[in-house]
Amino acid sequence: YNSTYCSFNYNSGTQNSGNGFASVYYDLQNPVINSFTRSPTAIIRGQSSTLTWTTTFANSASISGIGAVAVGSNKTTSVSPNSTTTYTLTACFAGICVTSDVTVTVYIPPVLNIYSNKATMIAGQTAIISWDHTGDGSTVYHTSGTPAITNGNTNSFTNPALTLYDSTTYCAYITGLGGTSPTVCVSIIVYQIPTISTFEVPTDIDYGDTSLPIAYKSQFANLTHTIEITAIRLTGPNTG
């Protein structure tokens, strides 16, 4: 006799009916979920976890979100939920069902965004760098930019504002239970204040001269240079 779904009651005895037949007394067993586990207990979205279960005295079973599954010892299936999910195993026999739950925690890969309130500026002015994120990230690491940013908080900004004297690029990434994000950057172009290091003109010219030699040297000027000349007519032997 197949005793998968029952246990014999040895205390109730048997009755020999002859011709090879006998009466056997037994008790039907309720289905049992001996174990229901998941490994690993937490994953990053896109990864998978294995559900493992063992049942006895059950002739059918199902898992929520999956459907019918096998009964018996050390049965498995792989799951890859997009968010934290609780799976319910239901095992049944003869209209009686029992359940057990396991939860697979899903962490979301973090994505960092970084911003500047200015794309261009004049040397000596200030800019504010800010950042925010989505997903399961907990610490921001700044990898470049002068002056350096040391604020590792998430969803934050530079306070006080940064004073910049040269063009720079700020880059950062975020890490946490969801893993490590790609590095993202924001650049600020800093224009230098134009300077004139040399400007030479003759101290005097003769009446009737049609040209005026001028020499100059400048830095950081990307527009047309403008020179204003004020001439004063003098009287004397050579003025005509």
Side-chain angles (χ1 to χ4, degrees):
Y1 185 83
N2 185 349
S3 62
T4 302
Y5 310 114
C6 66
S7 64
F8 289 103
N9 184 343
Y10 294 101
N11 295 326
S12 60
T14 61
Q15 179 180 348
N16 189 343
S17 301
N19 298 320
F21 292 95
S23 297
V24 180
Y25 300 91
Y26 57 88
D27 296 323
L28 291 176
Q29 293 294 302
N30 292 333
V32 176
I33 297 176
N34 305 90
S35 62
F36 185 34
T37 62
R38 74 281 195 222
S39 180
T41 59
I43 62 174
I44 296 174
R45 178 183 286 175
Q47 296 178 346
S48 62
S49 178
T50 299
L51 307 182
T52 303
W53 64 95
T54 293
T55 63
T56 53
F57 307 121
N59 64 353
S60 66
S62 63
I63 297 178
S64 58
I66 297 175
V69 295
V71 296
S73 298
N74 296 319
K75 304 302 181 182
T76 63
T77 189
S78 180
V79 295
S80 298
N82 287 323
S83 58
T84 297
T85 302
T86 296
Y87 294 94
T88 299
L89 171 64
T90 302
C92 300
F93 175 67
I96 298 175
C97 297
V98 291
T99 62
S100 181
D101 297 329
V102 295
T103 298
V104 177
T105 301
V106 178
Y107 295 113
I108 309 304
V111 175
L112 183 68
N113 304 297
I114 189 169
Y115 316 93
S116 171
N117 68 328
K118 296 177 180 178
T120 61
M121 56 186 287
I122 302 298
Q125 293 182 341
T126 60
I128 296 175
I129 306 299
S130 58
W131 54 93
D132 57 35
H133 80 289
T134 59
D136 293 302
S138 57
T139 304
V140 174
Y141 293 92
H142 299 275
T143 59
S144 67
T146 303
I149 300 174
T150 58
N151 181 353
N153 297 328
T154 61
N155 301 340
S156 191
F157 59 94
T158 52
N159 184 18
L162 302 172
T163 301
L164 303 184
Y165 294 95
D166 294 288
S167 297
T168 191
T169 297
Y170 285 98
C171 296
Y173 65 90
I174 188 171
T175 65
L177 293 173
T180 301
S181 74
T183 298
V184 292
C185 302
V186 63
S187 295
I188 304 172
I189 298 175
V190 176
Y191 296 112
Q192 303 298 319
I193 298 174
T195 60
I196 298 176
S197 58
T198 301
F199 184 55
E200 298 176 353
V201 296
T203 57
D204 55 72
I205 59 174
D206 292 332
Y207 180 79
D209 284 350
T210 58
S211 63
L212 180 65
I214 297 174
Y216 62 88
K217 181 183 294 185
S218 65
Q219 289 182 302
F220 311 118
N222 59 354
L223 299 175
T224 302
H225 293 72
T226 301
I227 300 175
E228 295 183 358
I229 299 176
T230 301
I232 301 175
R233 182 173 179 176
L234 302 176
T235 59
N238 298 320
T239 60

